[in-house]
Amino acid sequence: PINPRAFLPHEIFFGTFLVLTWFRLVAVIGAMSSEAVFYLALIAVNAAVIFYCRAQETNWRWRLRLLFYPVAMNLIYPHMKFAIPKLHPQPMDALLQKPDAALIGKNLSLRLEAITCPALTEFFSLCYILFFPYLLFSMIYYFCENLDLFTKFITGLFSIYGLGFLGYS
C-alpha cells in the first residue's frame, strides 16, 4: 500500500517544476503577472489535493490526487508558449544542438537527413498523432480499474513530464 503522507516521485518532480517556474517568473516579470499567478494557482491546487487525500485516504481522494497532473499538464503545455519566452527571450537552439554535435559529430537532424523520405515521415507522424488517443484511453482505463496500477501509471508518466518540463523551461 502507498503511504498517503509521503510525496510520490511525480509530485516531487512536477511540484519542483511548478515552484521553480513560479519563482523564476516572479523574479523576471513580477508576482502579479498573469503567468506567475497561473503557476501559483496550480501550486495551491496541487497542495490542496495532496492534503485533501492525506486528511482521509479513500479511493476517490487518491484518484482526485492523481488526476490533478493530467489536468495541470494540459493547462501548462499550451501556456508555456507565453511563459517560457519571458524566461528565455532568446532561442536556445544553438546551445541545445551542442550535445548532438559532441555525441554524433553534427546536428542529429542533419545526420538523419540521409534516411528521410515521405513514407517514413508520414509513418512517424501517424505514430505521434496516435500517441495522444493512446495516452487518453490508457488514463481512462487505469482510472476505472486498479488504483495501484493507476498510481504507478501516473507516477511514471508525470515524473517524466515534470523532468521534461523542467528541462524545457
Side-chain angles (χ1 to χ4, degrees), residues 86-164:
K86 293 183 178 174
L87 297 175
H88 292 286
Q90 300 300 320
M92 303 294 290
D93 296 1
L95 177 67
L96 294 171
Q97 289 176 1
K98 285 183 180 181
D100 287 348
L103 291 171
I104 62 168
K106 64 179 174 179
N107 181 301
L108 182 59
S109 62
L110 294 177
R111 173 74 71 186
L112 294 173
E113 196 171 45
I115 64 168
T116 302
C117 68
L120 189 60
T121 300
E122 291 303 318
F123 172 75
F124 283 119
S125 293
L126 178 66
C127 291
Y128 183 70
I129 198 68
L130 289 176
F131 169 73
F132 295 104
Y134 175 75
L135 190 60
L136 175 64
F137 290 125
S138 296
M139 274 191 230
I140 293 168
Y141 175 77
Y142 291 132
F143 175 81
C144 294
E145 291 294 320
N146 184 304
L147 180 59
D148 288 335
L149 194 55
F150 184 53
T151 303
K152 290 175 185 174
F153 178 78
I154 293 294
T155 298
L157 183 63
F158 288 94
S159 291
I160 292 169
Y161 270 117
L163 290 169

Side-chain angles (χ1 to χ4, degrees), residues 8-106:
L8 300 174
H10 71 285
E11 292 171 334
I12 295 167
F13 294 127
F14 211 86
T16 299
F17 160 73
L18 291 173
V19 170
L20 287 178
T21 303
W22 177 73
F23 272 120
R24 292 170 62 206
L25 287 166
V26 167
V28 173
I29 58 176
M32 297 312 294
S33 68
S34 62
E35 292 84 359
V37 170
F38 173 76
Y39 278 87
L40 184 60
L42 287 173
I43 293 165
V45 173
N46 192 11
V49 296
I50 290 170
F51 291 109
Y52 180 68
C53 181
R54 285 180 172 189
Q56 181 182 356
E57 182 181 2
T58 66
N59 283 347
W60 167 247
R61 287 182 183 210
W62 263 107
R63 283 179 168 78
L64 181 65
R65 180 176 175 175
L66 296 169
L67 280 177
F68 167 79
Y69 300 93
V71 171
M73 188 266 305
N74 281 292
L75 294 172
I76 289 168
Y77 187 76
H79 187 268
M80 288 173 118
K81 73 180 176 182
F82 305 109
I84 300 307
K86 293 183 178 174
L87 297 175
H88 292 286
Q90 300 300 320
M92 303 294 290
D93 296 1
L95 177 67
L96 294 171
Q97 289 176 1
K98 285 183 180 181
D100 287 348
L103 291 171
I104 62 168
K106 64 179 174 179

